[in-house]
Amino acid sequence: MPLTKVIAMAKAKQIREIEVSGNKLTVYPRATSGRDEGLPFKSRMDSQTDLVSLLLESGVNVGPPSGVEVTFKGSSGMSSFFGIVLMFLPIILIGGLMFWMMRRGQGGGGQNPMNFGRTKAKKAAPDGPVVTFADVAGVEEAKAELEEVVEFLKFPLRFQSLGAKIPKGVLLVGQPGTGKTLLARAVAGEAGAAFFHISGSEFVEMFVGVGAARVRDLFDQAKRNKPCIIFIDEIDAVGRHRGAGLGGGHDEREQTLNQILVEMDGFEVNTDVIVLAATNRPDILDPALLRPGRFDRRVTLDLPDIVGRKAILEVHAKGKPLAPEVNLGVIAKQTPGFSGADLANLLNEGAILAARNDRKDITMVELEEATERVTAGPERKSRVISAREKEMVAYHEAGHALVAWCMPHADRVHKISIVPRGAMGGHTSMLPEEDRYLWTENQFKDLMAVVMGGRVAEEFIFDEITTGASSDFERATKIAEDMIKRYGMSKNLGPRTFGKRQELIFLGREVNEEQDYSEDVAVGIDEEIKYLLDEAYRRAGKALAEHKAGLVKVAEYLLEHEILSGEMMEEILNEEHD
């Protein structure tokens, strides 16, 4: 019903009550003589209209007992709920975003976001698997250093009676896989003291100051559990040289490092708390971290020598059924430059190959195959090569082996293979008679001749060259360059080095060389390098020309059998030589 008609009926006293709900009206008419009240009807008004004022202006009596009763009803409960939600929606969104950021800063895992200042260090369980010094091999000097630390914790009076102080920190330095973490676990197993372990990256968070708070909490827990050992793995994550990055004093890593420095050697003296740390990048650590009073000892873990490799193989061979003919000493000779982790992986690969071949034990065949898998990759049996290409690969590898057999200062050939592995079409492995720490000029020259032997054999037999010698040339050039620029092995240029090598750690690690010599000297360096490479090429060509029949025999054997051992190669060449 239009609002005007509602007003007219109200003036005629035909309306008893008007119920207002927003801009909607429900009108209840009065009862007429002899009749009951009529059914209510609906009407609408403008949201800006004041109904009571409109009725009064129209001369309508409002209110009981004889006037029109006007009642107002609020909006529905659902509308009120949505109104409240819309009012508080920005606050809810901001609170949810902050909660999500805290969870991301903690790494998830259902942890309490308010505990992000607590340390994430884990305490070694006393009933867990125990590693002792007997499980560590190949690093005897490092073991001796850490055994003293264990004795400090077990028998402190023996040292304190002589005025000796317990070392505050021991830094384990070594290449990846040399056993730094394993040694730390052995210290935990031997010491019998509380042992907390944490990674350096676990201190660093997106909120500035969280790392420093975690360091304080870690050392507080260590003091409550002393005597105690704290092991920080990969400390270079927070111990980088200050001032080397973009951040200033407010940088999160820098604040974390400052707190570590204070906790290790500040005004408060931490007795019976030893910090073990491991890194393979000691060159980028802050000098304040390395000074005596913080890290008192620096233990270097080198790659194991042949005796150490054999001892490591024996440790990791425990629990593995080895065949009676297995000689771990031979495997140790075949793996110069392998770390402890590499040797453990080698034995594991051998066990996998033995299981794949349905064997009950691990034989020498599986171990040698595992050695080649680790160094060169698995065999690419699916790779199809033409007969012509296979012949070129055979002569290429035979050229390497024959030149090595001819050179007096070259290593002995162990095995030749033309089976594709990884990116290589074939490979020739050579074994030194003993571990080598110093190289002579003659050894370098013979090695370059051996490296050139593959390309020379291709040109000698097929009168054409291929791309197979690209990595050989790169290796030979690097050897000649080091001889001239780093080792001073040039009679014309004299015993000096050329170029200052710098490692830049501003935005990552980059090797840069500063030229500290004139352009005339640079021309002389190029001439000396070219002379060394040409001489190596000439010597390889002379050796192959003198033993062409032997080269052909070795290549033909490879084409037929694909693999040739060093002993068999020497028999073939000795027969040809006789």
Side-chain angles (χ1 to χ4, degrees), residues 253-273:
R253 285 187 178 88
E254 193 160 318
Q255 288 199 17
T256 305
L257 173 59
N258 291 338
Q259 190 64 43
I260 293 175
L261 298 177
V262 172
E263 292 289 348
M264 291 189 69
D265 188 22
F267 277 101
E268 295 185 6
V269 179
N270 294 328
T271 58
D272 296 336
V273 175

Side-chain angles (χ1 to χ4, degrees), residues 483-502:
M483 288 177 65
I484 302 303
K485 299 179 68 175
R486 295 184 61 188
Y487 306 132
M489 295 180 178
S490 171
K491 295 180 180 179
N492 295 329
L493 298 176
R496 61 159 291 189
T497 61
F498 299 93
K500 294 181 180 179
R501 293 167 60 88
Q502 299 176 342

Side-chain angles (χ1 to χ4, degrees), residues 511-527:
V511 177
N512 184 38
E513 184 175 283
E514 179 185 350
Q515 181 172 324
D516 59 352
Y517 45 87
S518 66
E519 293 300 325
D520 292 338
V521 174
V523 173
I525 292 174
D526 291 339
E527 291 176 351

